[in-house]
Amino acid sequence: QARPKESGGGSVQAGESLTLSCLASGLGFPFTWSYGAWFRQAPGKEREGVAAISSGGDPIYADSVKGRATISKDDSRKVLFLHMTRLEPDDTALYYCAFRRDPPSRPLDVPSYGYWGQGTQVTVSS
């Protein structure tokens, strides 16, 4: 069964930038209706919300990445993006994209989303 698929992860040095992409396959509803988000999970830690974007393009960011992250989407290609600058070792994690159909009351909470990708690893070395 098709599911969202992330790409763009890799190993970078602290201070560098990275853009993650997520092709939104298998949603079961039009991408233009979707509310999308990025989450991350570091070893030994809980999965946490990084950024989310409404169907209309309004973003919301976790405090930990505010000012360093930009979430965006391309409706024509059904792709969700996360661009991060000034990466830090604490940004090292497995990054996941997630989607839901209707606006969530808590857009950076894991239970708010039903469609998940498998993750892409981001490793930031100092």
Side-chain angles (χ1 to χ4, degrees):
Q1 183 177 353
R3 62 187 295 180
K5 183 172 176 57
E6 304 90 343
S7 61
S11 297
V12 297
Q13 297 289 320
E16 293 184 342
S17 302
L18 200 65
T19 299
L20 305 180
S21 302
C22 174
L23 178 61
S25 300
L27 294 188
F29 49 86
F31 180 77
T32 52
W33 296 1
S34 69
Y35 203 102
W38 287 95
F39 290 78
R40 65 186 182 186
Q41 187 165 18
K45 295 187 177 181
E46 292 187 354
R47 193 172 299 189
E48 63 173 1
V50 175
I53 189 167
S54 70
S55 59
D58 297 318
I60 183 171
Y61 299 98
D63 288 343
S64 59
V65 300
K66 200 169 290 183
R68 301 190 298 119
T70 303
I71 187 170
S72 61
K73 62 193 183 88
D74 185 329
D75 286 342
S76 64
R77 293 194 290 153
K78 302 179 184 179
V79 178
L80 183 71
F81 300 99
L82 180 69
H83 179 66
M84 292 191 66
T85 63
R86 304 195 309 276
L87 284 160
E88 306 166 354
D90 283 349
D91 294 318
T92 295
L94 192 59
Y95 282 72
Y96 299 88
C97 62
F99 297 90
R100 58 175 286 140
R101 174 173 169 165
D102 301 311
S105 58
R106 302 175 68 89
L108 294 180
D109 281 11
V110 170
S112 294
Y113 297 87
Y115 297 86
W116 290 85
Q118 292 183 316
T120 185
Q121 178 67 37
V122 174
T123 302
V124 184
S125 54
S126 57

